[in-house]
Amino acid sequence: MTTFKTLGLSENILRGVFAAGYDTPTPIQAAAIPIASSGQDLIGCAQTGTGKTAGFVLPLLHRLSMGRRPRGRREVRALVLAPTRELAIQVEDAVRTYGKHVSLYSTTIYGGVGMGPQIKALRRGVDIVVATPGRLLDHMDRGNVDLSQVEILVLDEADRMLDMGFIRDMRKIIAEIPRRRQTLLFSATMPQEVQTFARDIMARDAEFIEIGERRNPAKTVVQHACGVDHHQKMDLLLHVLENEPVENVLVFSRTKHRADRITKRLSKKGFAATALHSNKSQNQRQRALEGFKRGRFQIMVATDIAARGIDVDTISHVINYDTPSEAESYIHRIGRTGRAQTSGDAITFVTHDEKKYLRNIERHTGQLLQRKTYDDFETSVVLETEEEASNRNTRRKKNRGRGQHSRRRSSSRRN
Ligand code: AMP
């Protein structure tokens, strides 16, 4: 059996891992750690909640602590790029936790806050920087940071960074890092854009590992869909909160405005609720997140971007107040529950107009959401049964197959 000990990590790193309370590596850790510790480039296709953070942070710490640190002021030797500040903070948290017993310094760099403290931290000298691309580039432009000594570059949630339009910033940053380096790239999905980007910046012999089926949300999440009329969504939310064994609940809404409204109404009903979205200041967001983590708030209402990287192990339910129009968002959202070893529930509210999104999600993930109704909650919105959905998907596949067949035939005729 693979254990953290057999993965070849140094004693001091193992102490950090055990202090975090882990005894067995998750599959991505078991696969990634030996490759990354050996210094090879690695592309990891893994969803959030699989333990991928430790999968790159542990080998990174291992290599930096084993290598010789140049004399004098500490130089940035490892750079992790992440799409959002929340994720950057979370990754650096992991660096601090696992790296407690090695003498390495780290800092986070992200936008939305003053530059002063970040400049100070950089001047004092750090070994590891965890940054969002935009702000890091600002620092680079002002000469606040030198990346010429970087040995390890990590791109976390690369698909999301590309989605968010960071490609040019990323390329500019990477151009300042020595070519002789190790590059680790993690992504929940592997669209063409990510593959092309990886090919440009990574060694040709980069290892590729894929954990779990590419598009399927973590298996530990039970997924439900609930039909509801548009004007009844709040009532349904209250009904769910009262009838399900909820602990910590993350509610997703389509817009910031709606997130605020839902939060207000929940608070009025006596729930400890808070909102997380990008209209809030960085401090407000940190407070909301900390309060949610520590149990001061039972419910957090968030929008997609703000919720990236939320790492709270006790989220028992994710509720999609609005069905996400993109399947990728759906996967990221529900990945907030059922993290690592715990299981979770995801309930998606679907109005008549949102049925098309549900179909899209089911097609994309290849999984059917379990239909859920509550006896004492009436609604006029009836969802297609799982059987009907399954039959429709089968018919679609068949038709597609037939389409391809006839295309093939017609091309052979042309020849
Ligand atoms: P990640 O996919 O990196 O966001 O990690 C998901 C969650 O799994 C985090 O809350 C980690 O603290 C937790 N975790 C990571 N590795 C392990 C492990 N080997 N055993 C138990 N929990 C873990």
Side-chain angles (χ1 to χ4, degrees):
M1 194 179 87
T2 314
T3 63
F4 279 107
K5 270 202 177 125
T6 58
L7 292 177
L9 297 167
S10 65
E11 201 53 46
N12 281 338
I13 308 272
L14 287 176
R15 281 172 66 198
V17 173
F18 296 136
Y22 308 156
D23 43 27
T24 340
T26 64
I28 186 130
Q29 290 161 4
I33 293 172
I35 300 171
S37 301
S38 76
Q40 244 191 305
D41 280 9
L42 171 70
I43 301 173
C45 185
Q47 272 149 38
T48 151
T50 51
K52 70 178 163 61
T53 314
F56 65 79
V57 170
L58 294 174
L60 181 153
L61 291 169
H62 176 81
R63 291 197 61 222
L64 290 189
S65 62
M66 299 303 267
R68 264 228 319 265
R69 183 165 76 79
R71 284 178 167 276
R73 201 181 68 140
R74 285 168 192 270
E75 307 270 11
V76 183
R77 287 191 293 148
L79 172 66
V80 182
L81 291 179
T84 64
R85 28 189 151 180
E86 280 79 13
L87 188 62
I89 292 171
Q90 185 188 312
V91 169
E92 205 235 356
D93 245 14
V95 169
R96 283 176 195 251
T97 307
Y98 311 139
K100 211 168 166 181
H101 303 285
V102 291
S103 153
L104 292 168
Y105 290 18
S106 58
T107 195
T108 44
I109 300 286
Y110 47 78
V113 292
M115 285 190 121
Q118 297 178 351
I119 295 175
K120 249 195 205 152
L122 292 168
R123 285 213 185 115
R124 268 199 306 271
V126 283
D127 305 281
I128 303 160
V129 167
V130 185
T132 53
R135 175 56 70 92
L136 180 66
L137 202 58
D138 274 356
H139 280 290
M140 289 166 66
D141 288 344
R142 292 165 196 221
N144 299 337
V145 61
D146 171 17
L147 299 180
S148 66
Q149 303 303 314
V150 170
E151 300 160 28
I152 306 173
L153 167 68
V154 183
L155 304 158
D156 194 11
E157 300 204 351
D159 51 350
R160 195 67 173 184
M161 286 199 277
L162 295 183
D163 263 4
M164 289 169 74
F166 281 136
I167 182 120
R168 288 186 57 194
D169 289 359
M170 286 158 78
R171 285 195 189 275
K172 278 191 198 155
I173 293 167
I174 295 170
E176 299 302 316
I177 301 175
R179 274 174 193 274
R180 256 180 69 92
R181 61 163 188 261
Q182 178 184 31
T183 309
L184 309 173
L185 180 146
F186 289 83
S187 196
T189 57
M190 278 293 157
Q192 194 58 45
E193 208 189 350
V194 174
Q195 291 177 37
T196 310
F197 180 67
R199 212 173 306 128
D200 288 351
I201 63 157
M202 302 184 76
R204 273 212 204 121
D205 62 351
E207 287 277 347
F208 178 83
I209 55 176
E210 184 173 356
I211 300 295
E213 286 164 53
R214 195 175 293 184
R215 293 193 298 193
N216 282 6
K219 288 279 190 301
T220 44
V221 182
V222 183
Q223 303 169 56
H224 291 282
C226 226
V228 63
D229 283 301
H230 185 71
H231 67 275
Q232 285 182 307
K233 280 190 172 179
M234 191 65 207
D235 291 338
L236 180 59
L237 178 59
L238 293 170
H239 199 82
V240 170
L241 293 174
E242 277 152 20
N243 287 280
E244 297 287 339
V246 294
E247 289 165 35
N248 273 354
V249 187
L250 183 58
V251 178
F252 280 97
S253 91
R254 200 176 44 239
T255 64
K256 300 167 197 172
H257 180 64
R258 273 165 84 75
D260 279 334
R261 235 183 22 215
I262 297 166
T263 310
K264 266 198 201 123
R265 291 183 65 183
L266 287 173
S267 305
K268 261 199 189 142
K269 291 278 176 189
F271 288 99
T274 184
L276 183 83
H277 57 65
S278 49
N279 267 9
K280 305 249 172 198
S281 72
Q282 177 61 11
N283 275 345
Q284 285 173 323
R285 288 166 63 170
Q286 271 314 109
R287 261 207 310 276
L289 203 51
E290 278 302 306
F292 186 54
K293 255 189 183 172
R294 307 214 178 290
R296 196 150 52 83
F297 300 113
Q298 186 198 7
I299 306 169
M300 186 155 76
V301 188
T303 54
D304 278 310
I305 300 269
R308 284 298 291 196
I310 291 177
D311 179 24
V312 182
D313 284 341
T314 52
I315 295 178
S316 64
H317 288 72
V318 165
I319 297 177
N320 290 317
Y321 196 84
D322 301 307
T323 316
S325 56
E326 284 171 36
E328 295 294 342
S329 299
Y330 174 80
I331 293 168
H332 285 298
R333 287 181 181 192
I334 72 160
R336 304 293 125 199
T337 182
R339 294 175 77 71
Q341 263 70 349
T342 59
S343 63
D345 272 67
I347 304 176
T348 300
F349 293 1
V350 187
T351 61
H352 181 69
D353 290 342
E354 290 170 331
K355 285 180 182 172
K356 56 181 182 286
Y357 301 143
L358 174 65
R359 283 197 291 272
N360 180 35
I361 289 166
E362 293 186 326
R363 247 198 330 263
H364 188 88
T365 61
Q367 274 180 331
L368 295 177
L369 277 61
Q370 294 174 27
R371 274 43 178 174
K372 195 177 184 95
T373 51
Y374 292 92
D375 287 343
D376 42 355
F377 188 89
E378 280 189 21
T379 171
S380 71
V381 178
V382 181
L383 301 180
E384 195 181 37
T385 64
E386 286 158 55
E387 200 183 345
E388 284 163 351
S390 160
N391 288 343
R392 187 174 34 74
N393 280 347
T394 318
R395 269 199 312 277
R396 212 178 135 260
K397 268 188 209 144
K398 265 195 199 147
N399 285 342
R400 213 172 41 199
R402 230 176 267 139
Q404 273 165 3
H405 189 62
S406 58
R407 265 201 302 281
R408 263 201 306 278
R409 268 218 316 252
S410 66
S411 70
S412 66
R413 228 179 284 140
R414 259 204 312 275
N415 293 338

